[in-house]
Amino acid sequence: MSRKEQYELKTEELLEPIVTGFGFELVDVEYVKEAGTWYLRAYIDKPGGITVDDCEVVSRKFSDILDEKDYIEDTYIFEVSSPGLGRPLKKEKDFKRSLGEEVEIRTYRAIDRQKEFVGILKDYDKNTVTIEYEDESTQTFDKSEIALIRLALDF
């Protein structure tokens, strides 16, 4: 397991009880380097959406724990955020919640000269994702082929 994965897992483990204690859902945690700076980001959500105040209350509560546990070697910035409208589907609970919803899939390599697919999420398992198109045909993708899968944004 990489250091990045260890930091994300440890953060999830410590943050989950805080987030659920406020009645929110911990959607994801990521530890990423952007423009030379490390960021530890927690994405939280609740029915009706997350406010800036919700993010602040979680951030304040967890910052003390981060200082106390001090398990991340690098200098980093901690952020708490909403996952946004087109949030990626990463975990089992994301796929389960999104069954029957329209999703956008981007693949690493072209499949039939195409890299973007939009359809209704019909099924998924550990290795595959199946969507249904408007004409009721279906297509199954290996998860290893998928660069991104998220809820489709309709404007």
Side-chain angles (χ1 to χ4, degrees):
M1 181 182 299
S2 72
R3 199 169 51 119
K4 172 188 176 317
E5 290 170 318
Q6 288 174 1
Y7 292 161
E8 290 172 348
L9 269 171
K10 180 72 170 173
T11 301
E12 276 188 38
E13 176 188 307
L14 294 170
L15 190 54
E16 182 77 39
I18 292 167
V19 171
T20 55
F22 286 116
F24 308 146
E25 173 193 1
L26 180 60
V27 174
D28 196 18
V29 170
E30 66 178 5
Y31 186 67
V32 293
K33 193 171 197 175
E34 295 174 359
T37 302
W38 283 101
Y39 290 88
L40 178 63
R41 290 197 183 105
Y43 296 95
I44 60 174
D45 207 0
K46 70 177 181 188
I50 286 292
T51 67
V52 172
D53 290 340
D54 296 334
C55 294
E56 184 182 352
V57 74
V58 170
S59 179
R60 285 182 190 274
K61 180 100 174 175
F62 193 61
S63 289
D64 292 340
I65 291 170
L66 281 171
D67 291 342
E68 176 191 320
K69 300 291 185 187
D70 196 26
Y71 57 92
I72 298 178
E73 297 170 18
D74 312 302
T75 301
Y76 62 93
I77 296 170
F78 176 58
E79 297 178 340
V80 178
S81 177
S82 160
L85 293 174
R87 76 192 216 187
L89 309 183
K90 293 184 174 184
K91 300 179 179 174
E92 162 84 15
K93 64 183 177 182
D94 300 328
F95 284 95
K96 188 174 188 177
R97 174 184 28 241
S98 300
L99 276 172
E101 299 287 330
E102 189 174 47
V103 295
E104 173 186 326
I105 293 177
R106 291 189 191 153
T107 56
Y108 290 110
R109 291 191 200 95
I111 298 171
D112 297 328
R113 298 192 311 271
Q114 188 176 335
K115 288 178 91 174
E116 292 190 18
F117 304 85
V118 176
I120 303 299
L121 180 62
K122 281 299 187 188
D123 198 13
Y124 68 92
D125 60 31
K126 194 173 97 178
N127 301 312
T128 63
V129 173
T130 302
I131 60 172
E132 182 179 86
Y133 297 109
E134 287 182 0
D135 66 2
E136 297 185 6
S137 66
T138 61
Q139 184 169 0
T140 300
F141 300 85
D142 285 336
K143 284 186 177 176
S144 63
E145 299 174 314
I146 298 173
L148 172 72
I149 179 169
R150 66 179 179 190
L151 292 175
L153 300 176
D154 290 329
F155 291 103

